[in-house]
Amino acid sequence: MDNVRLDKWLWAARFFKTRGLAKKAIEGGKVHYNGARAKTSKTVEVGAIIRVPQGWDILEVEVIALSDQRRGAPEARALYRETEESVARREREAEARRLTNQAMQHPLKRPDKKQRREIQRFQRNQGE
């Protein structure tokens, strides 16, 4: 295996569920290949650094192996290795999100009819 397109590799490595989603992410500028935006047809090379969005996080992975076939998750994880900086940044951001969610006070119950009317009155007065 020596020539694998970027969209196919991302699909085979299970970063995206379909090649179409991988293509949209690449064309939308979300995926970076060696620090620069890439085209869908870019040929992936072993040792390249790819930045891929995954939910709230952005993974930075190094290509270890090439494949254009989608296999099981353990085999897909063997295609790449996440960089140490990426792991540290991801853990740091996850901790920050966790602390932010803890700091937010959630209401104990839903507002009753009187409280809803007060909220609506307050919102109307803010608009004026």
Side-chain angles (χ1 to χ4, degrees), residues 77-125:
R77 278 193 296 273
L79 297 177
Y80 62 89
R81 174 179 54 239
E82 188 174 3
T83 62
E84 295 171 7
E85 301 88 33
S86 176
V87 172
R89 181 179 61 242
R90 197 166 39 87
E91 290 173 354
R92 195 172 52 247
E93 290 173 357
E95 181 67 16
R97 282 193 302 271
R98 188 183 65 78
L99 292 174
T100 301
N101 286 339
Q102 280 183 345
M104 292 177 60
Q105 291 184 355
H106 299 286
L108 299 175
K109 61 178 185 163
R110 293 175 60 183
D112 59 16
K113 190 170 186 175
K114 182 179 178 184
Q115 291 169 334
R116 278 197 309 274
R117 286 181 177 162
E118 289 173 353
I119 291 170
Q120 290 168 350
R121 190 175 311 120
F122 176 77
Q123 288 174 338
R124 274 195 308 268
N125 290 339

Side-chain angles (χ1 to χ4, degrees), residues 7-18 22 52-54 59 67 69-80:
D7 62 336
K8 259 191 174 181
W9 187 87
L10 289 170
W11 169 74
R14 293 182 166 262
F15 286 108
F16 296 97
K17 210 168 207 173
T18 65
V52 183
Q54 288 287 292
L59 299 180
S67 176
Q69 295 180 341
R70 191 173 172 100
R71 301 253 167 102
E75 294 175 28
R77 278 193 296 273
L79 297 177
Y80 62 89

